[in-house]
Amino acid sequence: MTSIDWRRLPAQTGIVLSLALIPIWLRIGQTPVFAPLYATRFLIFLPILLTIFGWLLMGLPGFHALLKAKGRGGQARRAWALLLLLLAAWAAFSTEWAFIRWRDPHVAATSALQFCVVALFAIVMVCCAPPKRVIAGVLAVTLAWHAPLVIAQALSGGSLGLTALGEFAFNAQMTGISLLRADGAVFARPYGLLPHPNVAAGALLVGTLASASLVFAERRVVRLIGAMLLIAGFSALLLTFSRGAWLGLAVGGLVGLLMLLPQMRRRDIRLPLAVSLIGVIVVTGWWLNAYRPFVLARAGEGQESVELRSVADRIVFTDFALRSIAERPILGVGIGNFPWRSSFYIAQTFYDLRGDNVHHIYLLAWAELGTPGVLLLIGALIAAFISGLRRPRTLERAAFLAVTAAFAAVGWVDHYPWTILHMQVAWWGLMAAAQGN
C-alpha cells in the first residue's frame, strides 16, 4: 500500500473535482475579486483555483522533475509546457490591442484569464496529477450519469426539470434552441447540463473514450462495466446529432485502438469487446431506424432550412475569419474578440446574423492571436503527442491521447475546445495527463 503524498494532495483534490465538473455548466454568480469576468462565475472555476494555489503553496511538487526529465520524451514535455505558457502569455498580452478594448476591455480580459488559468491547471496536471486510473475512473463516473441524462432528454423531447443543477429549459416547441427538422417533424437535441448539444457531446466524448480503456482492464467486472459505459456513451453521442463529436470519436477511437493494438491478443478481453461491438451495432441500427429522417437531414440530404442555414453560416464566418487574418496577420484581434469583429463585418452586409465564433479553432486562434498564436497552438499539440507517445503505453495514457486527438479533430468543425472553459479543462488537462507519470 502506497503512502499519501501530502504535498500533492491539495492539487490532486482540485484536479479530481475539476474533471468531475466538466459536464456541469452550473454558475455561482459574481465573485468579489473577479466580478466583471464571466469565466470566474462557474462552479468549476473554484476547484481549478484550488489546483493551482494548492500546488503553489505546497512548493510546486513535480516541477523539478519536469525540468530535469531526460530523453526526447522529456524534451518534448518541456517544449509543450513552454509553448503552452508562451501561448497563455501571448493571449494575455493580446488584451492590449484587442479589437473592442476601449468599448469593453472585459471581453478580452475574461478570455485571457480563462486560458491562462487553464494553462496553469495543465502545468499542474503534468507535474503532479493523480494516478491515471483515478482520472479515468472519475471520467467514467461522469459518463455513468451524464449519458443516461442525455438519453432521457432525447427520448422525452426536452429538459427534465433539473434547473437546480443548471439544466437549461428546452423542448421542441421553443424558439432559439437547437432543433432538427425533417419531413415536418421536429427533434429537440439534448443539452445535458451544458449550454449547447455540441458541448454536451464534447463532454460525452471525453467520458466515452476514457471508459473505452476500461474494456482492456485486468479485472473482469471492470471490463464489463467499461463495455456497458461505452455503449451508453455511444448511444448518447448519436442522440446529440453532433457531427463534430462523431468525427472526434472516429479519430480518437482510431488513435486509442492503434496504441492498444498489442492488447487485442488477450483472450480475456474477447467477451467485453464482443459485448461492446454488438451493443454499438444494435444501438446504431435502432438509431438509424428511429431517427432516419433527421439522420438524412443532418447528412445534407434534402433541403431542410435548418441544415442549409447551418452550413451557410459556417461558410460566412470562415470567410470573416480569413478576412480578419489577412487584415491582422501578426497580432490578431485579441483573444475572445472575434465575435465582435465578425459583428463589424456583418454590419456591412445584408446577412441576418449575429457575431459569433468561426467553427474552426485553428482559424479562430489565428484570427484572435495572429500567426504567433496559431503556431504556438500547433507546436504545443505536436509536442504533446511526441511526449505522450514516448511514455510507457498504458490503457489510460491511450485514452488521454485519444481525447487529445479527438478534440484536435473536433476543432476543425467546432470552436468549443478553444472557447469553452469546461472543454479547455478537458482538452489541455488530459493532454497533460497523457504526458505525466
Side-chain angles (χ1 to χ4, degrees), residues 24-54:
I24 300 177
W25 191 252
L26 194 62
R27 287 167 287 185
I28 56 176
Q30 295 185 1
T31 54
V33 178
F34 304 109
L37 304 179
Y38 182 73
T40 65
R41 302 176 191 177
F42 294 103
L43 179 61
I44 194 175
F45 193 76
L46 297 180
I48 293 173
L49 291 184
L50 171 62
T51 301
I52 296 169
F53 286 110

Side-chain angles (χ1 to χ4, degrees), residues 108-231:
T110 191
S111 294
L113 174 67
Q114 176 176 312
F115 190 81
C116 289
V117 166
V118 170
L120 290 175
F121 176 85
I123 296 298
V124 179
M125 282 280 283
V126 82
C127 290
C128 68
K132 287 181 172 50
R133 64 181 181 277
V134 172
I135 297 175
V138 170
L139 298 175
V141 169
T142 65
L143 182 69
W145 65 261
H146 188 213
L149 172 62
V150 168
I151 293 170
Q153 288 177 339
L155 296 179
S156 66
S159 53
L160 305 178
L162 304 176
T163 53
L165 297 177
E167 183 189 34
F168 290 85
F170 69 95
N171 58 59
Q173 286 70 49
M174 295 174 65
T175 59
I177 65 168
S178 186
L179 299 173
L180 296 179
R181 300 181 186 276
D183 297 341
V186 182
F187 174 74
R189 297 173 63 197
Y191 282 60
L193 299 181
L194 289 161
H196 193 277
N198 289 347
V199 183
L204 289 168
L205 182 58
V206 174
T208 301
L209 290 172
S211 297
S213 68
L214 302 181
V215 175
F216 298 85
E218 293 296 329
R219 297 177 59 189
R220 180 182 180 186
V221 65
V222 176
R223 293 196 296 270
L224 292 176
I225 289 174
M228 300 308 295
L229 287 175
L230 173 59
I231 295 168

Side-chain angles (χ1 to χ4, degrees), residues 91-349:
F93 281 127
S94 75
T95 60
E96 296 299 317
W97 59 78
F99 180 66
I100 60 165
R101 65 188 184 281
W102 301 117
R103 178 179 173 184
D104 190 352
H106 296 138
V107 171
T110 191
S111 294
L113 174 67
Q114 176 176 312
F115 190 81
C116 289
V117 166
V118 170
L120 290 175
F121 176 85
I123 296 298
V124 179
M125 282 280 283
V126 82
C127 290
C128 68
K132 287 181 172 50
R133 64 181 181 277
V134 172
I135 297 175
V138 170
L139 298 175
V141 169
T142 65
L143 182 69
W145 65 261
H146 188 213
L149 172 62
V150 168
I151 293 170
Q153 288 177 339
L155 296 179
S156 66
S159 53
L160 305 178
L162 304 176
T163 53
L165 297 177
E167 183 189 34
F168 290 85
F170 69 95
N171 58 59
Q173 286 70 49
M174 295 174 65
T175 59
I177 65 168
S178 186
L179 299 173
L180 296 179
R181 300 181 186 276
D183 297 341
V186 182
F187 174 74
R189 297 173 63 197
Y191 282 60
L193 299 181
L194 289 161
H196 193 277
N198 289 347
V199 183
L204 289 168
L205 182 58
V206 174
T208 301
L209 290 172
S211 297
S213 68
L214 302 181
V215 175
F216 298 85
E218 293 296 329
R219 297 177 59 189
R220 180 182 180 186
V221 65
V222 176
R223 293 196 296 270
L224 292 176
I225 289 174
M228 300 308 295
L229 287 175
L230 173 59
I231 295 168
F234 180 78
S235 304
L237 277 169
L238 289 180
L239 291 170
T240 64
F241 282 87
S242 173
R243 292 167 294 199
W246 297 345
L247 172 64
L249 183 64
V251 173
L254 179 60
V255 169
L257 283 174
L258 288 175
M259 291 190 66
L260 296 177
L261 206 55
Q263 300 278 347
M264 296 295 181
R265 301 174 184 175
R266 290 168 47 191
R267 293 185 177 182
D268 59 350
I269 65 168
R270 291 178 182 176
L271 176 59
L273 282 177
V275 170
S276 300
L277 181 59
I278 294 172
V280 165
I281 292 173
V282 170
V283 167
T284 302
W286 165 80
W287 176 73
L288 289 172
N289 179 66
Y291 297 92
R292 183 173 181 274
F294 300 112
V295 175
L296 293 176
R298 201 68 171 150
E301 296 289 334
Q303 298 294 315
E304 293 295 340
S305 60
V306 172
E307 300 305 322
L308 293 176
R309 176 65 181 267
S310 175
V311 173
D313 288 358
R314 289 173 185 243
I315 293 173
V316 168
F317 284 104
T318 297
D319 178 64
F320 289 162
L322 293 172
R323 287 174 59 183
S324 181
I325 291 166
E327 292 171 1
R328 300 191 182 192
I330 305 300
L331 297 181
V333 296
I335 191 166
N337 272 240
F338 181 76
W340 280 261
R341 184 57 176 165
S342 64
S343 293
F344 177 82
Y345 292 136
I346 291 169
Q348 303 172 15
T349 71

